[in-house]
Amino acid sequence: MTGQLGHKYSDELYAIHIGSALKLSFFTGDRAWDFAGGRPLPDNIPERIRTRILEFDRRFASHLAVHVLDPSTLAYGLSDSPVGMLAWILERLAKWSDNNGNVENVFSKDDILTHATIFWVNNAIETSIRIYANANRYPWAPAHDRWPVIEAPTGITFVGYENPPGITTENRVQNFLDSDRAPWYNHVNITAHEHGGHFIPWEIPDKWVEDLRRTFSGRR
């Protein structure tokens, strides 16, 4: 995890650049697999925000839950079936990317098969799954008690397809700065783009490179 490198080895890094800016303790707790932590949706929230929350839940809930709770069970099935593994990977590429309803707007068939083949020939799908369970079973422990927790200069790229419910690209940066996550980072460059999904470097590579350059340009 890049954030952990920025926490533990900040004096050996020029800077880091990330695309989420979660707390390092994100997977700590009894309900790490549940974004809402078991809290029900309030009755008085606007319908458009309720719809957006449910959309987010449907996009990520099964991924987080099974990876945290039953990683090996899933891995046996995916490691035994190339079709099953391709289906699992393809669903994430399709649902998590900003593809306007067609995954091939972002990933060509060759791209998709290449990603799946890398996992298949290396028998690496369980490794990619197990990290979620391990992060919960062996909770993150700080290497120091200084603030910000991630002391390395940090650049952050946000994208519109992952805007939180009720938040637009225009106020995404301020929403982060007002959150309890911002104090964790020594943030030196924060950018929000209207387009792009979970796979930022693949989806908007030019903008990602521009953000990287801005982050590292003042760190030489």
Side-chain angles (χ1 to χ4, degrees):
M1 180 184 291
T2 305
Q4 173 68 349
L5 294 177
H7 165 68
K8 195 170 183 178
Y9 303 106
S10 61
D11 57 344
E12 300 179 37
L13 301 172
Y14 286 109
I16 62 173
H17 195 96
I18 56 179
S20 59
L22 298 172
K23 295 179 181 179
L24 299 184
S25 58
F26 181 77
F27 284 106
T28 300
D30 295 334
R31 299 184 65 96
W33 45 271
D34 181 0
F35 271 139
R39 297 184 298 273
L41 292 179
D43 294 330
N44 58 348
I45 60 173
E47 188 59 33
R48 61 182 178 81
I49 295 180
R50 177 184 296 273
T51 299
R52 180 68 171 155
I53 292 172
L54 293 175
E55 177 190 335
F56 253 59
D57 280 348
R58 293 188 182 108
R59 191 187 304 173
F60 296 111
S62 65
H63 183 89
L64 287 173
V66 73
H67 279 48
V68 171
L69 300 176
D70 298 302
S72 294
T73 306
L74 173 65
Y76 282 125
L78 299 188
S79 296
D80 194 52
S81 169
V83 174
M85 192 187 67
L86 176 60
W88 188 260
I89 293 173
L90 177 58
E91 184 178 43
R92 275 124 194 87
L93 297 179
K95 288 186 176 181
W96 295 4
S97 63
D98 187 9
N99 58 52
N100 200 28
N102 181 358
V103 67
E104 290 191 66
N105 287 331
V106 176
F107 298 97
S108 69
K109 289 184 176 69
D110 188 60
D111 295 332
I112 295 167
L113 292 174
T114 297
H115 284 300
T117 300
I118 290 171
F119 281 102
W120 180 254
V121 300
N122 292 291
N123 195 25
I125 195 69
E126 183 172 13
T127 303
S128 71
I129 294 172
R130 170 66 63 175
I131 188 173
Y132 290 76
N134 285 349
N136 180 247
R137 295 172 185 177
Y138 310 100
W140 173 76
H144 60 76
D145 59 3
R146 300 185 299 274
W147 285 82
V149 178
I150 295 89
E151 294 179 305
T154 302
I156 303 167
T157 294
F158 293 125
V159 288
Y161 192 63
E162 294 197 333
N163 284 339
I167 304 301
T168 66
T169 299
E170 289 182 350
N171 60 22
R172 181 74 185 275
V173 173
Q174 189 59 52
N175 173 259
F176 170 73
L177 293 176
D178 293 339
S179 73
D180 61 355
R181 292 178 292 138
W184 278 60
Y185 288 89
N186 176 19
H187 41 80
V188 297
N189 174 42
I190 308 176
T191 309
H193 301 289
E194 186 63 37
H195 300 290
H198 189 76
F199 310 99
I200 304 174
W202 194 279
E203 297 184 52
I204 51 171
D206 292 344
K207 294 185 183 302
W208 176 258
V209 169
E210 290 173 3
D211 293 349
L212 279 174
R213 286 173 174 163
R214 278 194 298 271
T215 295
F216 285 89
S217 62
R219 310 310 310 167
R220 296 176 181 172

